[in-house]
Amino acid sequence: MAINLRSTMLATICSLGLSQITTSILSAQQRPPDLSKLSSEQQEMIASACNVARQFNRPAKYYRCLRDQLGALRNSSGEPDLSDLSPEQQEMIASACNVARQFNGPAKYYGCLRDQLGALRNSAEPDLSDLSPEQQEMIFNACRVARQFIGPASYYNCLRSQRAGLAAQIAPVTDPGTPTVSPPTQQPTSTSPKTGSGATPGLQTNPGIPINLLIVFAAVIFLAFLQEIARRGKKCFTCGARTTNATQICDSCQERARAEENRRREEQTPGVSFNPYEVLGVSLGASREEIRSAYRDLIARYHPDKVSHLGQEFEAIAREKTLTINRAYEMLTSL
C-alpha cells in the first residue's frame, strides 16, 4: 500500500511538472518577442514583413513570424558598411534592395545589400567620356532599367555591353596608312552573260553595302530575339508572376514598393501629416468595431480586382488607395 501511494505521488508530481512546462511553452508562444533592443528601422522592417500575418492570421502566427525574423536577424552578419561608396552607388543599391526591405525583413535586406556590394567590388564603371553626348544619352537610356532596379554592378555591365556593341557597329572603312588605288577603267562589254562565268546576274552583292554592316545588323536582330525570349521566361522573384519588363520584379510589386517608399518618405518629411481617421472616414473616438467595419467597406470598394477591367492605370490607383487604407487601419488598431 505504501509503495502504491508513493508511486501515485511521484506520478502526480511528474504530471504537474509536465503540465507546468507545457503551459509555460504555450504562454511563451502567445507572447510577442521583445524587439526593444532593435533600431526603429529594423523594427519597421520586421513589422512590414509580418504585416500580412498580423492582418489575416491569428496572433500566434504573427508572433511566430516576429520570432523568425528576429532569429534570422541575429544569425545574419548585420548591415554592411556602404559609407565608402558614392551617393549614386548607394542609391542604386538601396533601390535594387527596396523590395527586400519592404516585404522580406531586415535579414534578407542586409543579405541583398551584401550581395550588391560584393558584385560591385568585382565591377567598375566604364569610361564613356570619349563618346559624344548623344551616344552617352542613348547608352544611359538603354541601361536605365538596370540602374533603377537591378543594381550598380549590372548597370555597369550593361554600359560596357552597350559600349562594345556601339564600337562593333562603328567599323573602320579604310586604313589611313594604305593609299587609295583607283580601280582600272573597264571597257564596255556586251550585255549578254558569258558562258561558263561564275557570276550569275541578279545574285551579285550590292557593292554599296559593306559586308561588315550586314553581319552587325544580323547580330543585332539575333540578340534582340534572344532578349525577347529571356524576357518572356522571367518571373517575379517576389510573387512568382511573369514580368512584362526587363527586370525580375513584376509591375504589381513595383507599384507596391513605390507606394511603400512614398509612404516612408512622407513619414520622414517634416510638416506632412497622415490622418488615419480621415482616410477611413470615422470619428476621432470611434470604437474598434466601427474602425473594422469602415475598413472592410473601403477595402471591398477600392480593391484592385474591382477595376481590373478598366486598365492598368485605374488598377494602380486602386492598389495605392488600398495600401493607404491598410496603413490607416494598421495605425488605428495598433493604438
Side-chain angles (χ1 to χ4, degrees), residues 205-210:
T205 305
N206 188 0
I209 303 177

Side-chain angles (χ1 to χ4, degrees), residues 204-219:
Q204 295 181 355
T205 305
N206 188 0
I209 303 177
I211 189 64
N212 292 336
L213 185 59
L214 293 176
I215 295 175
V216 171
F217 183 71

Side-chain angles (χ1 to χ4, degrees), residues 139-291:
I139 290 179
F140 291 151
N141 289 334
C143 300
R144 181 177 54 188
V145 175
R147 185 185 186 279
Q148 292 181 355
F149 301 106
I150 306 180
S154 300
Y155 174 59
Y156 295 157
N157 292 334
C158 177
L159 293 180
R160 276 190 289 272
S161 62
Q162 291 290 333
R163 171 65 183 271
L166 180 62
Q169 294 182 12
I170 306 176
V173 180
T174 57
D175 187 1
T178 305
T180 304
V181 180
S182 301
T185 304
Q186 297 182 355
Q187 297 295 330
T189 56
S190 176
T191 56
S192 59
K194 296 181 180 180
T195 306
S197 176
T200 304
L203 298 179
Q204 295 181 355
T205 305
N206 188 0
I209 303 177
I211 189 64
N212 292 336
L213 185 59
L214 293 176
I215 295 175
V216 171
F217 183 71
V220 170
I221 294 178
F222 181 70
L223 290 177
F225 177 72
L226 292 181
Q227 290 178 356
E228 180 66 17
I229 294 177
R231 183 188 66 82
R232 293 184 178 181
K234 287 185 176 180
K235 292 185 178 181
C236 177
F237 61 77
T238 301
C239 63
R242 292 191 178 275
T243 60
T244 58
N245 46 44
T247 67
Q248 285 187 308
I249 307 175
C250 66
D251 295 336
S252 177
C253 292
Q254 289 182 17
E255 290 290 341
R256 189 185 310 167
R258 280 194 287 267
E260 290 292 336
E261 181 65 19
N262 293 334
R263 179 186 66 82
R264 185 179 65 84
R265 290 179 180 178
E266 288 178 359
E267 292 179 351
Q268 295 178 355
T269 303
V272 178
S273 60
F274 181 82
N275 190 350
Y277 294 97
E278 182 179 351
V279 173
L280 296 182
V282 296
S283 60
L284 184 61
S287 63
R288 186 175 294 271
E289 185 61 30
E290 292 176 347
I291 294 173

